[in-house]
């Protein structure tokens, strides 16, 4: 989605190589300190710093690689500083134990990072449909709005509401209603571009933000989308129809609240005019 891309995309070639370089620099610095401090001063635990940095800022693989390098660097530094092990077997055992410790540390960090990412994702995703929830949709739309205003580009926002949806819940149960919502969400995603922002605002209401989309293109795309959502439902659910309100801005307003308030007005107009229709307003620059 475009809004998401505006918030998250980083310049190519910099997102990973920079933290890798920092991790290596930290590792070399620690190895130098380890060597000059002599083998009497044990600072093996300090090698966890570049390992942690690589595992959290790059990925698990980088963390594992840094763990192996850190283990080898630590043992190598001790040997160069004059430490002597009683036998080659003892040296191998120390190297293996230190490496295992570092690798386990990486796995723990990777697991925690994955759990945090899942928590972050669940906080911005509607659990039923997999779409953005209200909060995330507003964030992405705000980014899209800022882009459109800066470069004076058109954009279209639409609200989509399911008519007679309560009747499905009352007659067939909430499980049937949930299936209708998932079907409509799937139909919406399949008919829009990856640059478009979509979300479920709650209940049976969905929101769509189309960047770089003028009135004619928006009317065609969203008109077809409305029909596609109805046709995607099985015959037993065809009592559900779709009302849509949409607003196209040649130059969008300053705030998301103003943007969405006008769209909401168009949706209510569609409802008042008999439902199962699209009401479109075009706001000139």
């Amino acid at each position: 989605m475009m809004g998401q891309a505006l918030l998250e995309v980083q310049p190519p070639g910099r997102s990973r190589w920079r933290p890798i370089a920092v991790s290596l620099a930290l590792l070399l610095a620690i190895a130098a300190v380890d060597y000059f401090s002599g083998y009497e001063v044990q600072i093996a635990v300090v090698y966890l710093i570049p390992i942690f940095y690589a595992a959290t800022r790059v990925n698990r693989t980088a963390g594992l690689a840094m763990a192996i390098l850190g283990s080898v660097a630590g043992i190598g530094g001790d040997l160069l500083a004059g430490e002597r092990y009683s036998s080659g077997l003892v040296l191998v055992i120390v190297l293996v134990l230190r490496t295992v410790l570092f690798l386990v540390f990486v796995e723990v960090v990777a697991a925690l990072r994955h759990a945090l990412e899942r928590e972050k994702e669940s906080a911005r995703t509607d659990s039923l449909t997999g779409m953005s929830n209200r909060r995330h949709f507003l964030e992405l739309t705000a980014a899209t709005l800022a882009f459109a205003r800066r470069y004076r580009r058109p954009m279209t926002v639409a609200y989509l509401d399911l008519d007679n949806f309560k009747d499905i819940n009352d007659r067939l149960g909430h499980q049937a209603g949930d299936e209708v919502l998932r079907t409509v969400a799937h139909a919406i995603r399949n008919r829009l571009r990856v640059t478009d922002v979509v979300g479920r605002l709650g209940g049976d209401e969905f929101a769509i933000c189309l960047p770089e989309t003028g009135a004619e293109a928006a009317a065609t795309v969203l008109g077809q989308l409305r029909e596609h959502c109805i046709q995607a439902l099985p015959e037993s659910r065809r009592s559900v129809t779709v009302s849509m309100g949409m607003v196209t801005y040649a130059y969008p307003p300053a705030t998301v609240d103003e943007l969405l308030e006008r769209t909401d007005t168009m949706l209510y107009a569609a409802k008042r005019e008999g439902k199962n229709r699209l009401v479109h307003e075009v706001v000139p620059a």
Side-chain angles (χ1 to χ4, degrees):
M1 296 181 291
M2 180 178 180
Q4 191 169 17
L6 288 170
L7 290 174
E8 298 179 359
V9 169
Q10 298 177 351
R14 297 178 60 183
S15 59
R16 288 192 176 184
W17 288 113
R18 178 172 291 180
I20 288 175
V22 171
S23 300
L24 289 172
L26 286 171
L27 181 64
L28 291 174
I30 293 169
V33 172
D34 196 8
Y35 169 72
F36 288 112
S37 63
Y39 64 86
E40 293 90 352
V41 180
Q42 293 294 324
I43 61 170
V45 68
V46 183
Y47 285 97
L48 295 178
I49 296 174
I51 296 171
F52 177 82
Y53 189 85
T56 55
R57 295 298 300 273
V58 187
N59 54 34
R60 173 177 170 271
T61 301
L64 294 173
M66 202 62 60
I68 295 172
L69 289 174
S71 180
V72 172
I75 296 296
D78 289 342
L79 290 174
L80 291 173
E83 182 171 1
R84 293 294 177 262
Y85 294 91
S86 59
S87 68
L89 179 60
V90 173
L91 172 61
V92 171
I93 291 174
V94 172
L95 177 61
V96 170
L97 289 177
R98 184 177 294 188
T99 302
V100 169
L101 174 64
F102 287 176
L103 293 177
V104 169
F105 176 76
V106 171
E107 292 297 341
V108 172
V109 170
L112 290 174
R113 181 186 181 190
H114 180 66
L116 288 173
E117 288 175 348
R118 288 182 58 186
E119 183 69 22
K120 181 179 179 181
E121 183 65 24
S122 65
R124 63 186 187 182
T125 303
D126 174 58
S127 59
L128 179 63
T129 63
M131 285 183 163
S132 294
N133 58 21
R134 174 185 287 272
R135 178 180 177 180
H136 194 219
F137 176 82
L138 294 177
E139 290 174 353
L140 298 178
T141 300
T144 305
L145 173 62
F147 180 88
R149 284 183 60 83
R150 180 176 181 180
Y151 296 102
R152 304 191 67 86
R153 304 301 301 167
M155 63 181 294
T156 297
V157 179
Y159 277 176
L160 182 154
D161 186 85
L162 303 184
D163 307 317
N164 310 314
F165 178 73
K166 184 176 181 299
D167 181 58
I168 294 292
N169 280 334
D170 292 342
R171 288 190 302 106
L172 303 176
H174 288 283
Q175 185 173 353
D178 288 348
E179 187 58 37
V180 167
L181 293 174
R182 283 192 289 265
T183 299
V184 170
H186 182 73
I188 292 173
R189 284 194 297 265
N190 280 352
R191 300 292 290 192
L192 295 179
R193 305 165 297 183
V194 295
T195 54
D196 298 327
V197 180
V198 296
R200 181 186 175 207
L201 301 186
D204 58 338
E205 189 171 77
F206 298 86
I208 301 167
C209 177
L210 307 180
E212 299 284 343
T213 307
E216 185 176 349
T220 300
V221 169
L222 294 181
Q224 293 175 350
L225 172 65
R226 196 185 71 84
E227 294 295 334
H228 180 67
C229 288
I230 297 173
Q231 294 169 6
L233 296 172
E235 287 293 336
S236 60
R237 311 291 193 266
R238 288 293 174 85
S239 61
V240 173
T241 55
V242 175
S243 293
M244 183 181 292
M246 55 185 288
V247 181
T248 298
Y249 293 90
Y251 180 67
T255 67
V256 173
D257 288 342
E258 184 179 351
L259 188 81
L260 299 182
E261 182 178 356
R262 202 157 187 166
T263 307
D264 194 47
T265 300
M266 291 301 100
L267 175 61
Y268 277 108
K271 291 285 192 179
R272 288 195 306 269
E273 292 177 15
K275 303 180 181 181
N276 194 26
R277 65 191 66 233
L278 185 155
V279 175
H280 186 189
E281 180 184 16
V282 180
V283 181

